[in-house]
Amino acid sequence: MGAYILRRLLLVIPTLFGVMLINFALTQFVPGGPIEQVLARLEGEGDSIQNISGTEGGGVQEEDTGYQGARGLPPEFLARLEVQFGFARIVCDDGFTGEPSLTHPECRKEQIPAMERFFIMMGNYLTFDFGQSYFRSISVVDLILEKMPVSITLGLWSTLIAYLVSIPLGIRKAVRDGSRFDTWTSGIIIAAYAIPGFLFAILLMVVFAGGSYFQWFPLRGLTSDNFKDLSLWGKIVDYLWHITLPVTAQLISSFAVLTLLTKNSFLDEIKKQYVLTARAKGLSEARVLYGHVFRNAMLIVIAGFPSVFLGVFFGSSLIIEVIL
């Protein structure tokens, strides 16, 4: 068992490397990369280009830059974009002691080969260097750490509630397979699964957070402004009051996969020979179900815990956090 677990863990390394390589190739070589997106946003902003280039009508000497939509942009601006996004570096002559700059006659732009850019990216990821935020002027790591308490809170509560509801519900559906209860619950959870979490979050906000109907729940923050002045019980109630809507929005589509996985796993185990033997020995149905079937059927459910957790933690929560 230990050797098997070790092999599976070691397999993660080439798998992640392959995923990173494919993502890098898609973002670097497919049309519509980061520089093209900047150029697209600048399209039509003639006044801004005039200020940058200092020419009438934004026109400059035409040069083949390799970027569609770059006509009218000064080459110095495009060069700074390439350096900023890691496609090029500033190289200065030997003996240069000043600050590297594209405007200095002893410095020039040098393109970075694709493979070198890839390994630079991997090195930055391994050292948790994700660069600077263009909007907040702080490191991306600091920005993530700033938002993590909210994500962790919503992710843990959503995952916990999803398991506490889905596993008993899946067992019940397996025991009553084909009944009206099984049919109706399957229809409800599949319909809920089809509802986008962010859309349900907007609905909850409009109905219950003062949008058009009721002002039952707060709209922003994890706690109230007077949270420190509340008693212990008051803090617990205030905290649960604030997370009710975002957790509910995340949970709307979290039950279907886990419930049906639990049901199908139990159905597979119930049909096996050892269950028939246990029943033939006169064991009660509860003893057969929870003493024998439960341990074997839950293996596949527990194995799927990481994917369920990551899906709830990093999937719709980011959008729902912004909305609520």
PDB file of all heavy atoms in Angstrom, residues 12-30 113-123 125:
ATOM      1  N   VAL A  12       2.150  12.602  -9.787  1.00  0.00           N
ATOM      2  CA  VAL A  12       1.618  13.960  -9.812  1.00  0.00           C
ATOM      3  C   VAL A  12       2.606  14.919 -10.481  1.00  0.00           C
ATOM      4  O   VAL A  12       2.211  15.857 -11.190  1.00  0.00           O
ATOM      5  CB  VAL A  12       1.304  14.432  -8.373  1.00  0.00           C
ATOM      6  CG1 VAL A  12       0.952  15.914  -8.349  1.00  0.00           C
ATOM      7  CG2 VAL A  12       0.161  13.612  -7.795  1.00  0.00           C
ATOM      8  N   ILE A  13       3.910  14.687 -10.294  1.00  0.00           N
ATOM      9  CA  ILE A  13       4.923  15.609 -10.808  1.00  0.00           C
ATOM     10  C   ILE A  13       4.892  15.701 -12.335  1.00  0.00           C
ATOM     11  O   ILE A  13       4.752  16.802 -12.881  1.00  0.00           O
ATOM     12  CB  ILE A  13       6.320  15.194 -10.297  1.00  0.00           C
ATOM     13  CG1 ILE A  13       6.355  15.275  -8.766  1.00  0.00           C
ATOM     14  CG2 ILE A  13       7.398  16.089 -10.903  1.00  0.00           C
ATOM     15  CD1 ILE A  13       7.653  14.778  -8.156  1.00  0.00           C
ATOM     16  N   PRO A  14       5.015  14.592 -13.081  1.00  0.00           N
ATOM     17  CA  PRO A  14       4.936  14.730 -14.551  1.00  0.00           C
ATOM     18  C   PRO A  14       3.562  15.188 -15.032  1.00  0.00           C
ATOM     19  O   PRO A  14       3.465  15.861 -16.067  1.00  0.00           O
ATOM     20  CB  PRO A  14       5.272  13.318 -15.053  1.00  0.00           C
ATOM     21  CG  PRO A  14       4.976  12.412 -13.906  1.00  0.00           C
ATOM     22  CD  PRO A  14       5.290  13.198 -12.679  1.00  0.00           C
ATOM     23  N   THR A  15       2.519  14.832 -14.294  1.00  0.00           N
ATOM     24  CA  THR A  15       1.181  15.274 -14.699  1.00  0.00           C
ATOM     25  C   THR A  15       1.067  16.794 -14.624  1.00  0.00           C
ATOM     26  O   THR A  15       0.594  17.450 -15.566  1.00  0.00           O
ATOM     27  CB  THR A  15       0.106  14.626 -13.815  1.00  0.00           C
ATOM     28  OG1 THR A  15       0.211  13.199 -13.911  1.00  0.00           O
ATOM     29  CG2 THR A  15      -1.279  15.066 -14.242  1.00  0.00           C
ATOM     30  N   LEU A  16       1.510  17.366 -13.502  1.00  0.00           N
ATOM     31  CA  LEU A  16       1.466  18.818 -13.365  1.00  0.00           C
ATOM     32  C   LEU A  16       2.366  19.500 -14.383  1.00  0.00           C
ATOM     33  O   LEU A  16       2.010  20.551 -14.937  1.00  0.00           O
ATOM     34  CB  LEU A  16       1.880  19.215 -11.939  1.00  0.00           C
ATOM     35  CG  LEU A  16       0.872  18.926 -10.830  1.00  0.00           C
ATOM     36  CD1 LEU A  16       1.445  19.320  -9.479  1.00  0.00           C
ATOM     37  CD2 LEU A  16      -0.437  19.655 -11.078  1.00  0.00           C
ATOM     38  N   PHE A  17       3.529  18.903 -14.631  1.00  0.00           N
ATOM     39  CA  PHE A  17       4.446  19.483 -15.614  1.00  0.00           C
ATOM     40  C   PHE A  17       3.784  19.516 -16.993  1.00  0.00           C
ATOM     41  O   PHE A  17       3.875  20.514 -17.713  1.00  0.00           O
ATOM     42  CB  PHE A  17       5.741  18.668 -15.664  1.00  0.00           C
ATOM     43  CG  PHE A  17       6.775  19.234 -16.584  1.00  0.00           C
ATOM     44  CD1 PHE A  17       7.622  20.250 -16.162  1.00  0.00           C
ATOM     45  CD2 PHE A  17       6.906  18.754 -17.877  1.00  0.00           C
ATOM     46  CE1 PHE A  17       8.575  20.783 -17.025  1.00  0.00           C
ATOM     47  CE2 PHE A  17       7.853  19.273 -18.744  1.00  0.00           C
ATOM     48  CZ  PHE A  17       8.689  20.293 -18.316  1.00  0.00           C
ATOM     49  N   GLY A  18       3.122  18.424 -17.369  1.00  0.00           N
ATOM     50  CA  GLY A  18       2.436  18.388 -18.659  1.00  0.00           C
ATOM     51  C   GLY A  18       1.312  19.397 -18.749  1.00  0.00           C
ATOM     52  O   GLY A  18       1.139  20.068 -19.779  1.00  0.00           O
ATOM     53  N   VAL A  19       0.536  19.533 -17.682  1.00  0.00           N
ATOM     54  CA  VAL A  19      -0.563  20.503 -17.668  1.00  0.00           C
ATOM     55  C   VAL A  19      -0.024  21.919 -17.809  1.00  0.00           C
ATOM     56  O   VAL A  19      -0.561  22.738 -18.582  1.00  0.00           O
ATOM     57  CB  VAL A  19      -1.387  20.351 -16.379  1.00  0.00           C
ATOM     58  CG1 VAL A  19      -2.385  21.501 -16.235  1.00  0.00           C
ATOM     59  CG2 VAL A  19      -2.121  19.017 -16.365  1.00  0.00           C
ATOM     60  N   MET A  20       1.054  22.235 -17.067  1.00  0.00           N
ATOM     61  CA  MET A  20       1.643  23.564 -17.150  1.00  0.00           C
ATOM     62  C   MET A  20       2.198  23.838 -18.544  1.00  0.00           C
ATOM     63  O   MET A  20       2.070  24.951 -19.074  1.00  0.00           O
ATOM     64  CB  MET A  20       2.747  23.702 -16.102  1.00  0.00           C
ATOM     65  CG  MET A  20       2.279  23.594 -14.667  1.00  0.00           C
ATOM     66  SD  MET A  20       1.134  24.911 -14.205  1.00  0.00           S
ATOM     67  CE  MET A  20       2.204  26.317 -14.307  1.00  0.00           C
ATOM     68  N   LEU A  21       2.809  22.823 -19.162  1.00  0.00           N
ATOM     69  CA  LEU A  21       3.372  23.008 -20.498  1.00  0.00           C
ATOM     70  C   LEU A  21       2.280  23.283 -21.525  1.00  0.00           C
ATOM     71  O   LEU A  21       2.420  24.170 -22.379  1.00  0.00           O
ATOM     72  CB  LEU A  21       4.178  21.762 -20.885  1.00  0.00           C
ATOM     73  CG  LEU A  21       4.896  21.803 -22.245  1.00  0.00           C
ATOM     74  CD1 LEU A  21       5.896  22.942 -22.275  1.00  0.00           C
ATOM     75  CD2 LEU A  21       5.589  20.474 -22.518  1.00  0.00           C
ATOM     76  N   ILE A  22       1.186  22.541 -21.452  1.00  0.00           N
ATOM     77  CA  ILE A  22       0.084  22.746 -22.394  1.00  0.00           C
ATOM     78  C   ILE A  22      -0.540  24.125 -22.187  1.00  0.00           C
ATOM     79  O   ILE A  22      -0.808  24.861 -23.155  1.00  0.00           O
ATOM     80  CB  ILE A  22      -0.967  21.639 -22.226  1.00  0.00           C
ATOM     81  CG1 ILE A  22      -0.391  20.285 -22.665  1.00  0.00           C
ATOM     82  CG2 ILE A  22      -2.226  21.962 -23.040  1.00  0.00           C
ATOM     83  CD1 ILE A  22      -1.306  19.115 -22.394  1.00  0.00           C
ATOM     84  N   ASN A  23      -0.786  24.511 -20.939  1.00  0.00           N
ATOM     85  CA  ASN A  23      -1.354  25.830 -20.666  1.00  0.00           C
ATOM     86  C   ASN A  23      -0.433  26.944 -21.147  1.00  0.00           C
ATOM     87  O   ASN A  23      -0.886  27.958 -21.684  1.00  0.00           O
ATOM     88  CB  ASN A  23      -1.625  25.992 -19.172  1.00  0.00           C
ATOM     89  CG  ASN A  23      -2.824  25.194 -18.710  1.00  0.00           C
ATOM     90  OD1 ASN A  23      -3.708  24.898 -19.502  1.00  0.00           O
ATOM     91  ND2 ASN A  23      -2.863  24.825 -17.453  1.00  0.00           N
ATOM     92  N   PHE A  24       0.874  26.754 -20.937  1.00  0.00           N
ATOM     93  CA  PHE A  24       1.843  27.761 -21.391  1.00  0.00           C
ATOM     94  C   PHE A  24       1.785  27.912 -22.908  1.00  0.00           C
ATOM     95  O   PHE A  24       1.772  29.030 -23.440  1.00  0.00           O
ATOM     96  CB  PHE A  24       3.249  27.352 -20.952  1.00  0.00           C
ATOM     97  CG  PHE A  24       4.332  28.265 -21.444  1.00  0.00           C
ATOM     98  CD1 PHE A  24       4.626  29.446 -20.787  1.00  0.00           C
ATOM     99  CD2 PHE A  24       5.061  27.941 -22.585  1.00  0.00           C
ATOM    100  CE1 PHE A  24       5.617  30.295 -21.253  1.00  0.00           C
ATOM    101  CE2 PHE A  24       6.056  28.781 -23.059  1.00  0.00           C
ATOM    102  CZ  PHE A  24       6.330  29.951 -22.389  1.00  0.00           C
ATOM    103  N   ALA A  25       1.755  26.779 -23.614  1.00  0.00           N
ATOM    104  CA  ALA A  25       1.706  26.828 -25.076  1.00  0.00           C
ATOM    105  C   ALA A  25       0.440  27.516 -25.567  1.00  0.00           C
ATOM    106  O   ALA A  25       0.475  28.315 -26.516  1.00  0.00           O
ATOM    107  CB  ALA A  25       1.807  25.409 -25.644  1.00  0.00           C
ATOM    108  N   LEU A  26      -0.686  27.224 -24.924  1.00  0.00           N
ATOM    109  CA  LEU A  26      -1.948  27.825 -25.352  1.00  0.00           C
ATOM    110  C   LEU A  26      -1.948  29.334 -25.149  1.00  0.00           C
ATOM    111  O   LEU A  26      -2.405  30.089 -26.010  1.00  0.00           O
ATOM    112  CB  LEU A  26      -3.116  27.195 -24.592  1.00  0.00           C
ATOM    113  CG  LEU A  26      -3.442  25.738 -24.935  1.00  0.00           C
ATOM    114  CD1 LEU A  26      -4.543  25.216 -24.033  1.00  0.00           C
ATOM    115  CD2 LEU A  26      -3.865  25.614 -26.394  1.00  0.00           C
ATOM    116  N   THR A  27      -1.443  29.785 -24.006  1.00  0.00           N
ATOM    117  CA  THR A  27      -1.483  31.218 -23.704  1.00  0.00           C
ATOM    118  C   THR A  27      -0.404  32.004 -24.434  1.00  0.00           C
ATOM    119  O   THR A  27      -0.553  33.205 -24.654  1.00  0.00           O
ATOM    120  CB  THR A  27      -1.323  31.458 -22.194  1.00  0.00           C
ATOM    121  OG1 THR A  27      -0.100  30.849 -21.742  1.00  0.00           O
ATOM    122  CG2 THR A  27      -2.484  30.864 -21.432  1.00  0.00           C
ATOM    123  N   GLN A  28       0.696  31.343 -24.819  1.00  0.00           N
ATOM    124  CA  GLN A  28       1.811  32.055 -25.437  1.00  0.00           C
ATOM    125  C   GLN A  28       1.729  32.104 -26.960  1.00  0.00           C
ATOM    126  O   GLN A  28       2.146  33.079 -27.575  1.00  0.00           O
ATOM    127  CB  GLN A  28       3.135  31.393 -25.032  1.00  0.00           C
ATOM    128  CG  GLN A  28       3.430  31.427 -23.545  1.00  0.00           C
ATOM    129  CD  GLN A  28       3.804  32.807 -23.055  1.00  0.00           C
ATOM    130  OE1 GLN A  28       4.542  33.533 -23.700  1.00  0.00           O
ATOM    131  NE2 GLN A  28       3.303  33.177 -21.887  1.00  0.00           N
ATOM    132  N   PHE A  29       1.217  31.054 -27.560  1.00  0.00           N
ATOM    133  CA  PHE A  29       1.311  30.942 -29.014  1.00  0.00           C
ATOM    134  C   PHE A  29      -0.025  31.085 -29.727  1.00  0.00           C
ATOM    135  O   PHE A  29      -0.058  31.343 -30.917  1.00  0.00           O
ATOM    136  CB  PHE A  29       1.942  29.599 -29.394  1.00  0.00           C
ATOM    137  CG  PHE A  29       3.307  29.403 -28.793  1.00  0.00           C
ATOM    138  CD1 PHE A  29       3.538  28.399 -27.864  1.00  0.00           C
ATOM    139  CD2 PHE A  29       4.355  30.236 -29.130  1.00  0.00           C
ATOM    140  CE1 PHE A  29       4.785  28.227 -27.297  1.00  0.00           C
ATOM    141  CE2 PHE A  29       5.604  30.074 -28.572  1.00  0.00           C
ATOM    142  CZ  PHE A  29       5.829  29.071 -27.652  1.00  0.00           C
ATOM    143  N   VAL A  30      -1.134  30.884 -29.030  1.00  0.00           N
ATOM    144  CA  VAL A  30      -2.441  31.056 -29.667  1.00  0.00           C
ATOM    145  C   VAL A  30      -2.728  32.546 -29.815  1.00  0.00           C
ATOM    146  O   VAL A  30      -2.445  33.322 -28.904  1.00  0.00           O
ATOM    147  CB  VAL A  30      -3.534  30.360 -28.826  1.00  0.00           C
ATOM    148  CG1 VAL A  30      -4.918  30.671 -29.384  1.00  0.00           C
ATOM    149  CG2 VAL A  30      -3.297  28.858 -28.806  1.00  0.00           C
ATOM    150  N   PRO A 113      13.691  33.283 -25.557  1.00  0.00           N
ATOM    151  CA  PRO A 113      13.147  32.085 -26.222  1.00  0.00           C
ATOM    152  C   PRO A 113      11.998  31.481 -25.421  1.00  0.00           C
ATOM    153  O   PRO A 113      11.910  31.628 -24.205  1.00  0.00           O
ATOM    154  CB  PRO A 113      14.354  31.134 -26.286  1.00  0.00           C
ATOM    155  CG  PRO A 113      15.546  32.019 -26.154  1.00  0.00           C
ATOM    156  CD  PRO A 113      15.123  33.169 -25.291  1.00  0.00           C
ATOM    157  N   ALA A 114      11.101  30.793 -26.137  1.00  0.00           N
ATOM    158  CA  ALA A 114       9.897  30.258 -25.510  1.00  0.00           C
ATOM    159  C   ALA A 114      10.223  29.280 -24.389  1.00  0.00           C
ATOM    160  O   ALA A 114       9.629  29.341 -23.302  1.00  0.00           O
ATOM    161  CB  ALA A 114       9.016  29.584 -26.568  1.00  0.00           C
ATOM    162  N   MET A 115      11.167  28.356 -24.614  1.00  0.00           N
ATOM    163  CA  MET A 115      11.495  27.376 -23.585  1.00  0.00           C
ATOM    164  C   MET A 115      12.097  28.042 -22.351  1.00  0.00           C
ATOM    165  O   MET A 115      11.825  27.647 -21.217  1.00  0.00           O
ATOM    166  CB  MET A 115      12.452  26.326 -24.138  1.00  0.00           C
ATOM    167  CG  MET A 115      11.798  25.332 -25.089  1.00  0.00           C
ATOM    168  SD  MET A 115      10.354  24.514 -24.354  1.00  0.00           S
ATOM    169  CE  MET A 115      11.096  23.658 -22.969  1.00  0.00           C
ATOM    170  N   GLU A 116      12.897  29.072 -22.569  1.00  0.00           N
ATOM    171  CA  GLU A 116      13.463  29.790 -21.420  1.00  0.00           C
ATOM    172  C   GLU A 116      12.367  30.495 -20.643  1.00  0.00           C
ATOM    173  O   GLU A 116      12.379  30.515 -19.406  1.00  0.00           O
ATOM    174  CB  GLU A 116      14.507  30.794 -21.903  1.00  0.00           C
ATOM    175  CG  GLU A 116      15.212  31.522 -20.754  1.00  0.00           C
ATOM    176  CD  GLU A 116      16.279  32.484 -21.231  1.00  0.00           C
ATOM    177  OE1 GLU A 116      16.626  32.443 -22.436  1.00  0.00           O
ATOM    178  OE2 GLU A 116      16.766  33.275 -20.406  1.00  0.00           O
ATOM    179  N   ARG A 117      11.381  31.064 -21.355  1.00  0.00           N
ATOM    180  CA  ARG A 117      10.253  31.704 -20.668  1.00  0.00           C
ATOM    181  C   ARG A 117       9.489  30.683 -19.843  1.00  0.00           C
ATOM    182  O   ARG A 117       9.028  30.979 -18.721  1.00  0.00           O
ATOM    183  CB  ARG A 117       9.309  32.359 -21.687  1.00  0.00           C
ATOM    184  CG  ARG A 117       9.902  33.501 -22.450  1.00  0.00           C
ATOM    185  CD  ARG A 117       8.824  34.424 -23.008  1.00  0.00           C
ATOM    186  NE  ARG A 117       7.833  33.727 -23.800  1.00  0.00           N
ATOM    187  CZ  ARG A 117       7.899  33.570 -25.109  1.00  0.00           C
ATOM    188  NH1 ARG A 117       8.948  34.024 -25.777  1.00  0.00           N
ATOM    189  NH2 ARG A 117       6.940  32.953 -25.771  1.00  0.00           N
ATOM    190  N   PHE A 118       9.346  29.470 -20.381  1.00  0.00           N
ATOM    191  CA  PHE A 118       8.620  28.428 -19.654  1.00  0.00           C
ATOM    192  C   PHE A 118       9.328  28.067 -18.351  1.00  0.00           C
ATOM    193  O   PHE A 118       8.699  27.980 -17.290  1.00  0.00           O
ATOM    194  CB  PHE A 118       8.464  27.191 -20.535  1.00  0.00           C
ATOM    195  CG  PHE A 118       7.848  26.014 -19.824  1.00  0.00           C
ATOM    196  CD1 PHE A 118       6.502  25.990 -19.509  1.00  0.00           C
ATOM    197  CD2 PHE A 118       8.629  24.933 -19.445  1.00  0.00           C
ATOM    198  CE1 PHE A 118       5.932  24.911 -18.844  1.00  0.00           C
ATOM    199  CE2 PHE A 118       8.072  23.850 -18.792  1.00  0.00           C
ATOM    200  CZ  PHE A 118       6.727  23.836 -18.493  1.00  0.00           C
ATOM    201  N   PHE A 119      10.652  27.871 -18.414  1.00  0.00           N
ATOM    202  CA  PHE A 119      11.375  27.493 -17.206  1.00  0.00           C
ATOM    203  C   PHE A 119      11.486  28.661 -16.224  1.00  0.00           C
ATOM    204  O   PHE A 119      11.530  28.441 -15.001  1.00  0.00           O
ATOM    205  CB  PHE A 119      12.764  26.958 -17.576  1.00  0.00           C
ATOM    206  CG  PHE A 119      12.732  25.581 -18.172  1.00  0.00           C
ATOM    207  CD1 PHE A 119      13.001  25.373 -19.514  1.00  0.00           C
ATOM    208  CD2 PHE A 119      12.401  24.493 -17.383  1.00  0.00           C
ATOM    209  CE1 PHE A 119      12.953  24.098 -20.062  1.00  0.00           C
ATOM    210  CE2 PHE A 119      12.342  23.212 -17.919  1.00  0.00           C
ATOM    211  CZ  PHE A 119      12.628  23.015 -19.266  1.00  0.00           C
ATOM    212  N   ILE A 120      11.502  29.880 -16.713  1.00  0.00           N
ATOM    213  CA  ILE A 120      11.445  31.038 -15.816  1.00  0.00           C
ATOM    214  C   ILE A 120      10.114  31.046 -15.067  1.00  0.00           C
ATOM    215  O   ILE A 120      10.055  31.283 -13.853  1.00  0.00           O
ATOM    216  CB  ILE A 120      11.638  32.348 -16.606  1.00  0.00           C
ATOM    217  CG1 ILE A 120      13.080  32.455 -17.111  1.00  0.00           C
ATOM    218  CG2 ILE A 120      11.289  33.558 -15.735  1.00  0.00           C
ATOM    219  CD1 ILE A 120      13.315  33.654 -18.016  1.00  0.00           C
ATOM    220  N   MET A 121       9.030  30.770 -15.804  1.00  0.00           N
ATOM    221  CA  MET A 121       7.703  30.706 -15.183  1.00  0.00           C
ATOM    222  C   MET A 121       7.645  29.605 -14.127  1.00  0.00           C
ATOM    223  O   MET A 121       7.134  29.821 -13.018  1.00  0.00           O
ATOM    224  CB  MET A 121       6.640  30.465 -16.256  1.00  0.00           C
ATOM    225  CG  MET A 121       5.213  30.384 -15.732  1.00  0.00           C
ATOM    226  SD  MET A 121       4.046  29.731 -16.950  1.00  0.00           S
ATOM    227  CE  MET A 121       4.553  27.991 -17.004  1.00  0.00           C
ATOM    228  N   MET A 122       8.161  28.409 -14.449  1.00  0.00           N
ATOM    229  CA  MET A 122       8.145  27.313 -13.498  1.00  0.00           C
ATOM    230  C   MET A 122       8.964  27.646 -12.251  1.00  0.00           C
ATOM    231  O   MET A 122       8.568  27.327 -11.122  1.00  0.00           O
ATOM    232  CB  MET A 122       8.674  26.041 -14.149  1.00  0.00           C
ATOM    233  CG  MET A 122       7.790  25.501 -15.269  1.00  0.00           C
ATOM    234  SD  MET A 122       6.148  25.019 -14.694  1.00  0.00           S
ATOM    235  CE  MET A 122       6.558  23.658 -13.612  1.00  0.00           C
ATOM    236  N   GLY A 123      10.122  28.300 -12.462  1.00  0.00           N
ATOM    237  CA  GLY A 123      10.937  28.698 -11.318  1.00  0.00           C
ATOM    238  C   GLY A 123      10.213  29.700 -10.432  1.00  0.00           C
ATOM    239  O   GLY A 123      10.272  29.613  -9.198  1.00  0.00           O
ATOM    240  N   TYR A 125       6.953  29.968 -10.122  1.00  0.00           N
ATOM    241  CA  TYR A 125       5.881  29.253  -9.425  1.00  0.00           C
ATOM    242  C   TYR A 125       6.415  28.449  -8.244  1.00  0.00           C
ATOM    243  O   TYR A 125       5.789  28.404  -7.174  1.00  0.00           O
ATOM    244  CB  TYR A 125       5.153  28.323 -10.391  1.00  0.00           C
ATOM    245  CG  TYR A 125       4.223  29.035 -11.348  1.00  0.00           C
ATOM    246  CD1 TYR A 125       3.600  28.346 -12.379  1.00  0.00           C
ATOM    247  CD2 TYR A 125       3.966  30.393 -11.224  1.00  0.00           C
ATOM    248  CE1 TYR A 125       2.743  28.997 -13.265  1.00  0.00           C
ATOM    249  CE2 TYR A 125       3.122  31.047 -12.099  1.00  0.00           C
ATOM    250  CZ  TYR A 125       2.512  30.351 -13.116  1.00  0.00           C
ATOM    251  OH  TYR A 125       1.671  30.994 -13.973  1.00  0.00           O
TER     252      TYR A 125
END
